[in-house]
Amino acid sequence: MMVLLATVMVVVLGAAATALAASPSHNNHSATKGNPGKGNSGHNKDFKGLVDIGGRKIYMECQGKGRPTVVFVSGVRDRAETWSTTQDPSEQAVLPAIAETNRVCAYDRPGTLLATGDGPEDFETSRSDPVDQPTTLQYGVDDLHALLKASGEGKRPYVLVGHSMGGAISRLYASEYPEDVSGLVLIDYAAYDVRKALTAREWALLKILIYSPVEEARQIYPDVEWFDEQRNLKQTLAAAPLQPTPLVVLSADEPMDLLPLVENGTLPMTPEEAKEFGELLFRANVDARSDLVSQVPGARHITDTDSSHYIHQIQPNLVIDSVREVVAAARKKSCSLDIKNHGQCVKADKQARR
């Protein structure tokens, strides 16, 4: 099952195929303790449980103290545990590390899962109520906004840390609710702007890769999360530009291996063409992320990550340092990583308006 689901996201997420197998959840370390809440988790107590957002419930877990609250938004089909997992069990995971100094929250989107083994039936389903699929980035934004409001974790602004599709959701959230976001860390996020660099044929091949395994995956998990990629593209391209905010983007530095998709008949091309196509998509994703970074003053794009797609699990210290850097700027109410405080932001804004 995880091979099928990994294939669904291999291209859009710009990741190496080897990293798109199940995230290494055999080494899960749950970060939270305590009893499920009843819709208000408080701001000082550890919490994990279901939150009613009006007609249905979403699973959420929060712990730690300290502002700003850091909200973790997982990649496609990953439950909240992805942030408390590392490839090397001796390394500290991202969420518990940040919880030492900040309030942190993570949640399950509907249709996500946790791999518990290597077999097709070795997984646990999302703890959130299912919804009709496919979903979109906008639905992800709407659910997150409703969840933060209903949970009692309403001390905005937040620092959003998003991986993969969660990064695309976080980016759109910051565009729609700039007053709610004081910083962003986007980890190998789904850069839909990549469409601008593709020909019509390349875009068609991309959609073949995205949609071909979906029906097989749904046979195993009928409520599995999957996305309407054309609507996601439209929503991304229509989004307002990001406001000045502390921003770090991290990109995997390993090109995709599409050869397995040629061998199983998914991609109608030769192995040589698949290699070229994978490299093209890899470059286009990095370029699209660099373009976003260029639009936000002081933002940084880290491309030398020595990692495939799951950077937060493979290189957790790199992500921890990036989150802490953004948190430090957010605490000073700075609009940028290279501006020291809110007062300097106001001064820069006045100069820009002259």
Side-chain angles (χ1 to χ4, degrees), residues 47-318:
F47 161 85
K48 59 180 179 179
L50 294 172
V51 177
D52 192 328
I53 64 169
R56 60 187 174 88
K57 296 179 180 179
I58 292 181
Y59 176 85
M60 186 183 202
E61 53 186 49
C62 300
Q63 65 169 304
K65 300 177 183 179
R67 298 186 67 180
T69 297
V70 178
V71 180
F72 292 91
V73 189
S74 66
V76 64
R77 285 175 289 279
D78 280 338
R79 294 199 332 183
E81 289 94 342
T82 187
W83 299 105
S84 299
T85 301
T86 58
Q87 189 179 75
D88 181 350
S90 69
E91 294 186 300
Q92 187 177 26
V94 174
L95 186 146
I98 303 303
E100 293 175 356
T101 54
N102 290 78
R103 184 71 171 170
V104 298
C105 295
Y107 65 105
D108 289 4
R109 287 194 308 278
T112 53
L113 57 89
L114 171 68
T116 58
D118 298 326
E121 304 299 332
D122 297 332
F123 68 95
E124 296 176 7
T125 61
S126 174
R127 292 160 289 191
S128 299
D129 290 343
V131 298
D132 292 338
Q133 299 286 346
T135 186
T136 68
L137 298 178
Q138 186 63 59
Y139 289 143
V141 169
D142 294 344
D143 270 9
L144 178 55
H145 190 254
L147 176 63
L148 291 172
K149 183 177 180 180
S151 67
E153 298 292 337
K155 287 189 176 181
R156 60 183 190 179
Y158 314 97
V159 167
L160 300 184
V161 180
H163 171 238
S164 189
M165 196 69 74
I169 292 171
S170 299
R171 174 190 172 185
L172 185 59
Y173 191 104
S175 293
E176 295 190 9
Y177 300 102
E179 70 282 358
D180 287 4
V181 179
S182 59
L184 284 169
V185 179
L186 306 180
I187 305 165
D188 214 43
Y189 78 93
Y192 283 93
D193 311 72
V194 73
R195 173 65 183 93
K196 301 174 184 177
L198 302 180
T199 65
R201 178 178 181 273
E202 289 163 350
W203 179 243
L205 288 170
L206 183 78
K207 289 193 286 188
I208 289 174
L209 286 169
I210 294 166
Y211 289 122
S212 60
V214 168
E215 286 305 318
E216 294 176 77
R218 293 175 66 193
Q219 294 299 315
I220 303 170
Y221 181 12
D223 295 318
V224 69
E225 180 182 54
W226 59 289
F227 284 82
D228 185 327
E229 303 298 348
Q230 195 63 37
R231 293 177 68 188
N232 281 357
L233 174 63
K234 291 180 179 179
Q235 291 166 4
T236 299
L237 297 180
L242 288 179
Q243 296 295 308
T245 189
L247 168 66
V248 174
V249 176
L250 300 98
S251 287
D253 56 9
E254 297 179 9
M256 293 173 288
D257 177 12
L258 300 182
L259 183 59
L261 304 180
V262 173
E263 294 173 342
N264 69 16
T266 299
L267 267 182
M269 56 176 60
T270 67
E272 293 75 18
E273 290 172 334
K275 183 176 185 297
E276 293 178 2
F277 188 44
E279 292 174 349
L280 180 151
L281 291 171
F282 175 79
R283 292 193 303 270
N285 270 282
V286 173
D287 289 347
R289 295 178 189 133
S290 294
D291 184 60
L292 175 69
V293 167
S294 71
Q295 299 171 32
V296 180
R300 291 200 301 116
H301 188 189
I302 302 174
T303 57
D304 186 15
T305 54
D306 192 25
S307 177
S308 50
H309 186 50
Y310 281 84
I311 303 172
H312 58 297
Q313 297 181 355
I314 298 169
Q315 298 289 354
N317 289 329
L318 179 60

